[in-house]
């Protein structure tokens, strides 16, 4: 069995042991992600994870039949412990990479420590964990990325060949949590992998056999540590022709980047959610820590691993499931700090700025669909399950009602019934919160559209208001506040023909003009306990319009 990482109490636990092609993953409270996924990535259930990993492992069609397929050879595997004696305490996998054995997946075992297989000619990935009988002595992981089976072959998996993995943070009192070792092998258009979840301390590793082709092997090691005032994600990733033999890194404090998660408390209910961090690239495991709201969690991470992902999960209630927010693909730099605040005001529509992101609205033939996060938080993070009291989306064509969908804010689909060009008015609204924290978000888009032969993005823009607020979503009473204003979508930048902003401090009873100067408006906050609302009227360069209202956007204290 693999070493089981020390488990921290967390609000959610994803699934049980999963065995996929070339994968070995034990039960753990941390989300395991095989490559890039959706922008909101709650922990995958076991079956979904198995399917994802299997899809990753096998991506090529079967090889054509040939006489070589029937040609087989003997593979003998000898397992030795750290004293050089045969051992039965091992877990070995042989996975076909290419050739006639490309679909092979074997986990052989014999109590004698020697096991024999008869396999077709081809290239294989071999990995083995050899366990020590001494408690706390750690695990030896041996990986042979290139095993070309073209004659009878014996491989000795000798734990004495391994060298220590010694990766630790600069904080002396930090305790190891868990780690993921990962090797990905690419050959002849196919990809296979092996991984090992272990404790973040006491692991030894070794490369076996000849080197594979340069650049065909990617090896990574991600370890997590828990400190007194911060947690650590120490990840490293290398591409070469070999797996790792030992690995030592002792980063100084100045070598690390800082990622901070701030949890707002809009409803004043408090509670304990969780924050998590993980590398953006490759199959990996995350570190999750409890986070009481309002509050903050701090992670120090290695820039050598590339970009990192942050996520925040709100406390759940019997009436509402937890909400998951993510900030993916964050570039990091040694000595620099990146802060993300989640679940904060002002709630409103937001568009995904990532390159290649799906459009907020699409026209496809006589179908029109809207999928815009209507209740994104103050930094534009999209909730996995937005909390609202009521929501509706309505479409008019040349002033005539096409249809209305209720529930699921900002998401609807309509059949138009005519290919002719017309003027459309698309209205999405959602009521959220209760009492003095209640608010209403409304967006009304007007645009011309005709039937399309391929899915075509609709010209939908939104306006974002991002005042600097405390974590209880309040601002000082009777004070002037500079509120940045940002346009997203086709009207961004030079695409704006006109933008008019108005502000209300009496719940929308009266509105006052607020000129946009240098990308912001100035608001005179009302007395303590009051609210501020925003209204934006936007026209883009092609004459498409948006009328957006954010009622009771924030409160004063």
């Amino acid at each position: 069995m693999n070493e089981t990482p020390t488990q921290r109490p967390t609000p959610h636990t994803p699934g049980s042991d999963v065995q996929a092609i070339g994968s070995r993953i034990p039960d753990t409270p941390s989300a395991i992600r095989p490559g890039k996924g959706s922008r909101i990535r709650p922990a995958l259930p076991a079956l979904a994870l198995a399917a994802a990993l299997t899809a990753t492992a096998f991506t090529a069609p079967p090889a054509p039949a040939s006489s070589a397929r029937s040609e087989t050879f003997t593979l003998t595997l000898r397992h030795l412990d750290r004293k050089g004696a045969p051992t039965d305490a091992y877990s070995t996998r042989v996975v076909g990479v290419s050739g006639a054995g490309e679909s092979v997946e074997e986990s052989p075992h014999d109590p004698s420590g020697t096991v024999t297989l008869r396999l077709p000619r081809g290239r294989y990935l071999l990995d083995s964990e050899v366990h020590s009988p001494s408690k706390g002595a750690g695990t030896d992981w041996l990986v042979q990325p290139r095993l070309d089976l073209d004659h009878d072959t014996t491989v000795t998996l000798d734990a004495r060949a391994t060298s220590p993995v010694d990766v630790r943070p600069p904080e002396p009192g930090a305790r190891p949590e868990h780690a993921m070792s990962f090797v990905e092998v690419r050959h002849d258009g196919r990809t296979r992998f092996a991984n090992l979840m272990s404790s973040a301390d006491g692991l030894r590793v070794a490369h076996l056999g000849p080197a594979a082709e340069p650049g065909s092997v990617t090896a990574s090691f991600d370890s997590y540590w828990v400190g007194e005032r911060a947690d650590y994600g120490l990840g490293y990733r290398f591409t070469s022709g070999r797996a790792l033999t030992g690995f030592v890194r002792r980063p100084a404090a100045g070598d690390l980047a800082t990622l901070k998660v701030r949890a707002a408390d809009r409803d004043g209910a408090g509670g304990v959610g969780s924050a998590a961090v993980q590398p953006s690239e490759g199959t990996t495991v995350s570190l999750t820590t409890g986070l009481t709201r309002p509050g903050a969690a701090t992670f120090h991470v290695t820039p050598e691993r590339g970009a990192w992902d942050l996520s925040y999960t709100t406390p759940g209630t019997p009436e509402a499931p937890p909400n998951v927010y993510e900030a993916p693909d964050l570039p990091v730099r040694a000595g620099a700090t990146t802060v993300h605040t989640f679940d904060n005001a002002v709630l409103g529509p937001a568009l995904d700025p990532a390159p290649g992101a799906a459009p907020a609205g699409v026209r496809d033939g006589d179908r029109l669909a809207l999928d815009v996060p209507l209740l994104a938080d103050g930094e534009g993070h999209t909730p996995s399950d937005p909390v609202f009291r009521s929501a509706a989306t309505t479409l008019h064509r040349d002033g005539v009602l096409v249809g209305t969908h209720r529930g699921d804010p900002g998401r609807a689909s309509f059949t138009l019934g005519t290919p002719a060009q017309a003027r459309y008015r698309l209205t999405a609204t959602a009521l959220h919160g209760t009492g003095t924290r209640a608010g209403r978000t409304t967006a009304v888009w007007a645009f011309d559209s005709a039937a399309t032969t391929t899915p075509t993005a609709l010209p939908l823009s939104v306006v974002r208001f991002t005042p600097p607020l405390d974590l209880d979503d309040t601002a000082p009473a009777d004070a002037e506040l500079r509120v940045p204003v940002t346009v997203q979508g086709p009207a961004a930048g030079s695409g704006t023909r006109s933008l008019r902003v108005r502000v209300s401090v009496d719940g929308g009873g009266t509105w006052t003009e607020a000129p946009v100067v240098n990308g912001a408006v100035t608001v005179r906050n009302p007395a303590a306990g009051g609210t501020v609302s925003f209204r934006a009227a936007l026209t883009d360069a092609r004459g498409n319009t948006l009328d957006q209202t954010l009622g009771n956007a924030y409160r004063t204290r």
Side-chain angles (χ1 to χ4, degrees):
M1 294 294 292
N2 296 326
E3 288 186 282
T4 303
T6 304
Q7 297 192 353
R8 306 176 72 183
T10 59
H12 62 279
T13 301
S16 57
D17 290 1
V18 177
Q19 290 292 325
I21 301 300
S23 176
R24 192 177 294 109
I25 302 174
D27 216 10
T28 169
S30 302
I32 298 172
R33 182 167 57 80
K36 286 189 175 294
S38 61
R39 300 197 69 80
I40 293 297
R41 292 190 297 266
L44 293 174
L47 290 178
L49 178 59
L53 288 172
T54 302
T56 300
F58 282 91
T59 57
S66 69
S67 60
R69 184 174 297 277
S70 60
E71 188 178 16
T72 62
F73 301 97
T74 298
L75 175 63
T76 302
L77 303 175
R78 300 174 60 241
H79 300 83
L80 304 179
D81 63 20
R82 291 182 184 177
K83 295 181 179 180
T87 178
D88 68 346
Y90 64 88
S91 177
T92 295
R93 289 173 64 86
V94 182
V95 177
V97 179
S98 61
E102 68 178 63
S103 62
V104 168
E105 180 196 358
E106 297 283 352
S107 299
H109 191 274
D110 188 278
S112 69
T114 298
V115 62
T116 300
L117 299 170
R118 193 75 183 175
L119 298 175
R121 175 191 294 269
R123 177 170 292 192
Y124 294 86
L125 165 64
L126 167 67
D127 81 287
S128 180
E129 301 165 50
V130 180
H131 306 284
S132 171
S134 302
K135 185 176 181 180
T139 296
D140 297 289
W141 192 42
L142 302 103
V143 180
Q144 183 162 340
R146 178 180 182 174
L147 173 57
D148 292 321
L149 192 63
D150 53 11
H151 61 282
D152 291 346
T153 302
T154 297
V155 177
T156 299
L157 297 149
D158 189 343
R160 294 172 298 176
T162 63
S163 296
V165 175
D166 187 3
V167 176
R168 59 189 65 241
E171 182 180 337
R175 70 178 187 273
E177 192 69 7
H178 54 263
M180 166 74 88
S181 303
F182 181 79
V183 174
E184 179 183 270
V185 177
R186 298 171 298 280
H187 182 255
D188 201 19
R190 298 167 180 84
T191 300
R192 303 292 187 264
F193 59 85
N195 61 49
L196 172 67
M197 269 287 296
S198 65
S199 70
D201 209 10
L203 175 66
R204 298 168 61 95
V205 299
H207 168 93
L208 294 183
E213 293 76 10
S216 66
V217 178
T218 297
S220 63
F221 179 74
D222 300 324
S223 68
Y224 297 96
W225 298 71
V226 178
E228 193 66 32
R229 288 185 293 271
D231 295 341
Y232 297 85
L234 308 181
Y236 301 89
R237 184 175 168 91
F238 307 94
T239 298
S240 66
R242 302 175 61 85
L244 296 176
T245 296
F247 185 61
V248 178
R249 288 292 188 277
R250 298 287 186 87
D255 298 329
L256 303 178
T258 299
L259 296 174
K260 180 174 289 189
V261 174
R262 300 173 74 239
D265 189 17
R266 288 185 293 105
D267 55 11
V272 180
S274 64
V277 65
Q278 66 183 26
S280 302
E281 288 293 333
T283 299
T284 186
V285 63
S286 66
L287 176 68
T288 301
T289 185
L291 178 53
T292 302
R293 63 174 185 179
T298 300
F299 302 98
H300 298 305
V301 301
T302 47
E304 292 91 334
R305 190 59 169 85
W308 289 75
D309 297 347
L310 283 180
S311 65
Y312 168 65
T313 303
T314 65
T317 68
E319 297 78 24
N323 245 313
V324 180
Y325 291 92
E326 284 204 349
D329 301 313
L330 299 177
V332 298
R333 180 170 52 85
T337 299
T338 301
V339 181
H340 274 259
T341 303
F342 294 94
D343 203 31
N344 59 321
V346 172
L347 299 189
L351 304 184
D352 189 344
V362 173
R363 174 75 182 264
D364 187 7
D366 67 345
R367 299 282 294 174
L368 187 151
L370 176 70
D371 188 3
V372 58
L374 202 61
L375 297 176
D377 71 12
E379 292 190 2
H381 308 117
T382 302
S384 59
D385 193 6
V387 178
F388 62 98
R389 293 166 57 190
S390 63
T393 302
T394 300
L395 180 67
H396 289 79
R397 182 181 61 245
D398 289 336
V400 178
L401 178 66
V402 175
T404 298
H405 288 265
R406 301 193 181 279
D408 210 353
R411 180 174 293 176
S413 180
F414 302 91
T415 300
L416 305 178
T418 175
Q421 179 161 315
R423 187 70 172 176
Y424 289 90
R425 187 173 78 251
L426 183 60
T427 303
T429 185
L431 180 64
H432 57 88
T434 58
T436 60
R437 293 177 172 85
R440 182 183 297 275
T441 297
T442 302
V444 183
W445 295 276
F447 53 90
D448 294 326
S449 179
T452 61
T453 56
T454 59
T456 303
L458 298 176
L460 306 183
S461 299
V462 301
V463 179
R464 301 283 302 162
F465 295 89
T466 55
L469 303 174
D470 282 356
L471 289 180
D472 63 356
D473 282 350
T474 64
D478 301 313
E480 282 194 349
L481 187 67
R482 184 179 184 273
V483 179
V485 180
T486 306
V487 176
Q488 295 179 332
S494 60
T496 297
R497 178 183 296 176
S498 65
L499 174 60
R500 179 188 181 192
V501 173
R502 288 177 287 173
V503 175
S504 174
V505 294
D506 60 2
T510 58
W511 295 90
T512 302
E513 295 287 339
V516 180
V517 179
N518 296 324
V521 297
T522 299
V523 177
R524 166 58 70 173
N525 287 333
T531 64
V532 174
S533 303
F534 296 102
R535 189 166 189 177
L538 173 69
T539 302
D540 71 15
R542 295 182 176 271
N544 307 298
T545 66
L546 165 71
D547 188 357
Q548 178 179 299
T549 303
L550 306 178
N552 292 344
Y554 68 88
R555 298 173 295 114
T556 56
R557 62 180 186 280

